[in-house]
Amino acid sequence: FFSLFLDSSTPLLLNMASEISFFVMCLLKVLLDFNKPATNPQPMINRDWEYFYNSVWESHSSVEEKRSMLMGWFYDQPIERLRRDDVLAYLTWVKFGVTINAISSEQKKQLEFDLKRLEKEINFGVELPKRRDYEEQLSCMRFNIEPLRFRHKPLVFYTITHGVQYWFNSIIEKKGFQYHRSSNRKKKLSYYYRPAKKNAPDYNAPLVLVHGVGGVSFYTPLIEDIANNYAGPIILIDLHFVSLRITDEIPSITDQLECICEILDKHCSKNAKATFVGHSYGTLLLSS
């Protein structure tokens, strides 16, 4: 447009150069940083493994349902193709978040108990066969150790999404929210806070909203409705790394949980009870 308006190719060439540079930067970031394999086992956070593992099986009433649930993680492959090696790889990821090569011999022994329980639930206690030399490993969903599927978006896309965020800030400020920007995005989360309305009842617990992929701005109508009708304090967590913005600073799950606790301690009180609302990725964080 500017090239036509100015009757010059300079704006077009500058735009092409910026887009190419941005693409190369993103590609290098994915290849060099984001696709590094996980190497250190990360045990489940604030959750008893035995309770969790029992709950998974008890939530399915029949063998067919349990098989369907398990094989869903293997992209719905037929259960006849399932081997002990495949199950061990899957259980290693569920329990520790890494590949089987990254865990200790003691942790491998722990998996044997989990494997026997699984065989009892889906195979009537019969031991699953081992993989033969000519058989390929069954692929399963292991989100944090799979190669990142990179889909590039142009620089102008992020110009728009960052602009939407500024628009959202101006809208939400009118509802009494104040934005608290994190000073260390690798460890802390930014958030919006609206204190309780005047004469709000004491029983109105803090309401904490954790959004999903896309960003908090996608929830503008919902937030406006809550702000109009809820008298208690409201906290909107801003997960910048799933908000269609340019960033590579991602706090660990542990840091995210600790940060939410610190926010509640700061604005409400120590050990304050709160009502949590999560959507999509937000539910994953709140269930940890």
Side-chain angles (χ1 to χ4, degrees):
F1 173 78
F2 287 106
S3 292
L4 293 174
F5 181 76
L6 299 174
D7 193 23
S8 171
S9 61
T10 301
L12 177 61
L13 293 174
L14 289 174
N15 181 65
M16 291 176 61
S18 62
E19 289 290 357
I20 291 172
S21 300
F22 181 60
F23 172 75
V24 172
M25 181 191 74
C26 292
L27 187 61
L28 290 174
K29 178 63 69 174
V30 170
L31 295 176
L32 299 179
D33 291 341
F34 294 159
N35 268 339
K36 288 182 178 178
T39 55
N40 298 318
Q42 297 291 328
M44 302 186 72
I45 302 166
N46 297 333
R47 177 186 287 165
D48 181 79
W49 168 254
E50 185 176 353
Y51 171 77
F52 167 72
Y53 199 53
N54 290 336
S55 299
V56 168
W57 295 121
E58 291 170 2
S59 62
H60 299 84
S61 58
S62 67
V63 173
E64 289 74 17
E65 288 182 358
K66 294 172 184 178
R67 287 181 173 183
S68 177
M69 178 277 297
L70 177 65
M71 298 314 295
W73 289 96
F74 290 90
Y75 299 98
D76 294 319
Q77 292 290 326
I79 196 167
E80 291 76 17
R81 293 190 57 193
L82 189 65
R83 301 292 181 259
R84 285 174 61 89
D85 313 74
D86 302 321
V87 172
L88 285 172
Y90 167 71
L91 288 174
T92 303
W93 174 73
V94 173
K95 192 168 187 176
F96 301 111
V98 292
T99 63
I100 197 166
N101 296 327
I103 62 175
S104 66
S105 57
E106 180 62 31
Q107 290 167 325
K108 290 180 181 178
K109 290 179 181 179
Q110 295 175 22
L111 290 178
E112 287 297 324
F113 171 80
D114 301 321
L115 174 62
K116 290 184 182 300
R117 172 68 187 277
L118 183 145
E119 290 173 332
K120 176 183 176 182
E121 298 290 348
I122 71 161
N123 210 37
F124 305 101
V126 178
E127 186 175 299
L128 290 167
K130 294 183 179 180
R131 187 185 303 119
R132 300 180 181 89
D133 293 338
Y134 59 85
E135 291 179 324
E136 294 183 358
Q137 181 178 350
L138 212 58
S139 297
C140 68
M141 301 179 193
R142 296 177 295 176
F143 305 113
N144 67 315
I145 58 178
E146 290 178 341
L148 182 66
R149 289 178 290 180
F150 173 53
R151 298 291 183 271
H152 180 71
K153 292 180 175 62
L155 188 58
V156 67
F157 171 84
Y158 293 102
T159 302
I160 295 172
T161 57
H162 279 262
V164 168
Q165 188 65 30
Y166 284 110
W167 167 81
F168 174 77
N169 289 347
S170 64
I171 293 293
I172 211 70
E173 283 178 3
K174 297 176 182 178
K175 295 295 181 180
F177 287 88
Q178 183 178 2
Y179 188 57
H180 296 257
R181 187 181 299 277
S182 169
S183 58
N184 180 8
R185 288 197 164 191
K186 289 185 178 181
K187 291 287 186 179
K188 304 293 183 181
L189 299 172
S190 301
Y191 63 96
Y192 300 85
Y193 175 68
R194 193 212 68 180
K197 294 181 179 179
K198 293 182 179 179
N199 303 320
D202 294 336
Y203 59 79
N204 278 348
L207 179 64
V208 182
L209 174 64
V210 186
H211 64 81
V213 175
V216 68
S217 60
F218 281 81
Y219 301 80
T220 302
L222 173 63
I223 293 169
E224 289 183 319
D225 189 50
I226 293 175
N228 290 334
N229 294 283
Y230 190 70
I234 303 174
I235 297 169
L236 310 176
I237 304 297
D238 180 23
L239 305 176
H240 57 277
F241 46 90
V242 293
S243 297
L244 303 178
R245 284 179 264 165
I246 300 174
T247 181
D248 60 356
E249 299 165 321
I250 306 174
S252 68
I253 290 290
T254 303
D255 288 335
Q256 293 176 51
L257 293 173
E258 289 179 352
C259 185
I260 292 176
C261 292
E262 290 172 3
I263 292 170
L264 284 169
D265 289 344
K266 176 181 178 180
H267 292 287
C268 303
S269 63
K270 291 285 185 180
N271 303 317
K273 293 184 177 180
T275 300
F276 293 92
V277 180
H279 176 247
S280 185
Y281 178 86
T283 61
L284 176 65
L285 176 57
L286 294 179
S287 68
S288 299

